[in-house]
Amino acid sequence: MPFLREAGPPVRDRTRNNDVTRFSLALLASVAAFSPAALAQQEGTEPRAPRIEGDAFQAPAAPTAGEKPAETQAPNTSYTPLLPNQTRAPQPAKATQVEVSPVVSGLDSAWALEFLPDGRMIVTEKAGKIRLIGKDGKPGPAVAGVPKVDARGQGGLLDIALSPSFAGDKTIYFSFSEPRDKGNGTSVAKAKLVEDGKGGGKLEDLKVIFRQTPSYDGDKHFGSRLVFAPDGNLFVTVGERSDKGPRVQAQDLSSGLGKVFRIDNEGKAPKDNPFIGSDKAKPEIWSYGHRNVQGATLDGQGRLWTAEHGPRGGDELNRPRPGLNYGWPLVTYGIEYSGEKIGDGATQAGGTVQPVYYWDPVIAPSALAFYDKTLFPEWKDDFILGGLVSTGLVILKVSGDKVLTEERIPLDHRIRDVKVGPDGAVYAVTEGPDGQILKVTPKKSS
């Protein structure tokens, strides 16, 4: 049931990109022009009313829940959640005992991990390198043919995904912050991976299939995760570039900032996307009003879920639906890094979707995975998030699109990506130089 309504250092307003800045400041001065009601009027439809009804306000039944919340630190805001268990859900009554072992070392600011069909791994490094990881855990030489990336700040080589037909076509997709004449932006490329039999290889037939526009001269909030849906289309998450000037464009359907996109394998908008046929909206848009989505996955029903960096407080778990508005920056449970309210401090508004769950203080969610294996039976059908600030894993048990419990698994590292391996273990990528991939398994009984 939908309910309508990157943590980091303070950021400054940038004015180097004149085209974007002039447009953005005009939007900022009249943000009401991009309210849900105004957007609906632009599209010739009635504004959506808040979809809060029925059992929305009933606390979810959780027989496995304990009495104390997983989050014990003081919140950054005094905001009250709209729904039960929308934040600070109880931790499980019985904690999961795990063993952690490094299986890969020597990575340089790795950003994303994917498993190849034969069980090997392929990773991206922020500076612009793709590496294959041998079955012995040793990273191979950098794959040749990767395009130039803008690795300043939060930019660089980002997510990687295998073609649904990878076993036959050897095609990979990856997102990156692309240098451009007027700044940079998140782009998606595809290429054929040709291995050399020596642990490395090269990319052939490289093609950039999608570009987030407008470009902006900044170094923050690029997103980005890539998730193939069961129908073969590709979800692409991006950010709204952080600064106060451009961030209001998350509410602008003619802008690609602060959106979740849905494209086909050549970068085109599928014919059943929600804004197909509109002359005021980008046809690739799936949902809008997002801040900086760095986690995305499918659940057991093939539905998209995302984890989104909030400001100071207000990290979110969402289930993006076609054509819906997720509120940023009109609606948020967070505040500015300075401590000031964002806008008028609204946490809900007609025509915007409430987050399924939010964190205050933030965990800085870097990745999102769905556990569908049997090695951890207690985590079956749970969501697993990587935490940059919480320095570990966050496990969410969800039922009926409501969070029942939240569990924290400390790893003492900033976690940049999380994947469920073919063996059922959970693999966590640590951030920074000399990075590792940690394997998380159930603790063996003594």
Side-chain angles (χ1 to χ4, degrees):
M1 178 75 67
F3 305 111
L4 293 181
R5 78 142 165 89
E6 168 145 280
V11 296
R12 67 181 186 274
D13 210 0
R14 298 180 182 271
T15 56
R16 287 176 286 172
N17 185 322
N18 292 333
D19 291 340
V20 171
T21 302
R22 282 196 296 268
F23 179 54
S24 300
L25 292 178
L27 289 177
L28 191 61
S30 57
V31 70
F34 294 98
S35 67
L39 287 168
Q41 186 176 12
Q42 291 176 18
E43 293 301 314
T45 62
E46 293 297 321
R48 297 183 181 90
R51 297 178 65 180
I52 300 174
E53 55 192 61
D55 61 357
F57 296 98
Q58 296 178 7
T64 60
E67 297 180 356
K68 296 181 179 180
E71 181 58 74
T72 58
Q73 297 185 56
N76 289 307
T77 76
S78 58
Y79 295 144
T80 301
L82 177 65
L83 304 170
N85 274 26
Q86 197 176 12
T87 190
R88 294 181 178 253
Q91 58 188 335
K94 183 179 180 181
T96 306
Q97 302 297 315
V98 303
E99 293 183 352
V100 181
S101 59
V103 293
V104 180
S105 299
L107 298 173
D108 184 10
S109 299
W111 209 94
L113 157 71
E114 189 56 89
F115 281 92
L116 296 171
D118 62 5
R120 290 178 300 150
M121 305 175 192
I122 184 170
V123 299
T124 62
E125 293 179 334
K126 184 176 178 294
K129 294 179 180 179
I130 294 176
R131 296 187 188 276
L132 299 169
I133 309 298
K135 291 186 178 181
D136 58 1
K138 294 181 179 179
V143 172
V146 177
K148 184 179 179 180
V149 306
D150 189 339
R152 295 175 300 159
Q154 297 173 2
L157 185 57
L158 305 173
D159 204 17
I160 190 165
L162 306 185
S163 160
S165 305
F166 178 82
D169 61 28
K170 304 300 180 184
T171 299
I172 63 171
Y173 292 73
F174 56 91
S175 58
F176 64 108
S177 51
E178 182 184 38
R180 302 174 186 168
D181 289 341
K182 294 185 177 181
N184 50 42
T186 302
S187 296
V188 179
K190 63 182 291 188
K192 183 178 181 179
L193 175 65
V194 180
E195 297 191 49
D196 60 12
K198 301 177 182 179
K202 61 182 179 180
L203 300 183
E204 291 185 348
D205 303 324
L206 177 74
K207 179 183 180 182
V208 176
I209 63 169
F210 181 76
R211 289 181 168 93
Q212 173 200 32
T213 57
S215 301
Y216 180 68
D217 192 4
D219 64 2
K220 296 179 179 65
H221 291 199
F222 296 95
S224 158
R225 292 293 170 186
L226 306 176
V227 177
F228 274 102
D231 62 6
N233 288 311
L234 179 64
F235 288 111
V236 180
T237 75
V238 298
E240 35 63 286
R241 308 312 310 274
S242 180
D243 297 345
K244 288 184 178 180
R247 77 183 186 189
V248 296
Q249 294 182 45
Q251 289 293 315
D252 179 5
L253 292 172
S254 68
S255 166
L257 306 188
K259 307 297 190 293
V260 172
F261 300 105
R262 178 175 177 254
I263 58 177
D264 65 19
N265 60 7
E266 292 295 331
K268 305 300 182 184
K271 294 181 179 179
D272 57 347
N273 267 11
F275 297 109
I276 286 288
S278 169
D279 59 358
K280 298 180 182 294
K282 289 186 176 296
E284 301 88 358
I285 293 174
W286 178 258
S287 59
Y288 64 108
H290 299 285
R291 187 172 182 269
N292 189 26
V293 182
Q294 289 194 359
T297 193
L298 302 179
D299 66 11
Q301 301 176 52
R303 304 178 304 173
L304 179 69
W305 290 72
T306 58
E308 181 169 339
H309 283 258
R312 188 178 174 190
D315 286 348
E316 295 182 356
L317 175 74
N318 287 305
R319 185 165 76 81
R321 261 64 52 88
L324 296 190
N325 178 2
Y326 289 78
W328 178 258
L330 302 178
V331 178
T332 177
Y333 281 98
I335 55 178
E336 302 281 11
Y337 294 114
S338 64
E340 298 175 313
K341 291 181 179 179
I342 294 174
D344 61 4
T347 59
Q348 55 182 290
T352 67
V353 183
Q354 282 283 301
V356 173
Y357 196 73
Y358 72 91
W359 289 267
D360 181 9
V362 298
I363 61 168
S366 59
L368 181 64
F370 181 75
Y371 194 81
D372 58 357
K373 304 296 185 182
T374 58
L375 187 63
F376 284 97
E378 62 271 49
W379 291 354
K380 182 67 175 176
D381 297 333
D382 289 358
F383 288 107
I384 304 175
L385 298 100
L388 293 165
V389 167
S390 59
T391 61
L393 304 180
V394 177
I395 316 298
L396 296 180
K397 187 169 293 297
V398 175
S399 177
D401 293 355
K402 298 177 183 178
V403 174
L404 303 182
T405 62
E406 175 184 351
E407 184 175 14
R408 304 283 177 96
I409 306 294
L411 297 179
D412 299 323
H413 289 278
R414 287 170 59 87
I415 302 303
R416 176 48 71 184
D417 196 11
V418 174
K419 286 292 189 298
V420 178
D423 58 356
V426 175
Y427 292 80
V429 178
T430 69
E431 189 182 62
D434 197 22
Q436 298 178 318
I437 298 177
L438 306 177
K439 182 178 181 179
V440 182
T441 55
K443 187 172 184 179
K444 297 176 183 177
S445 356
S446 53

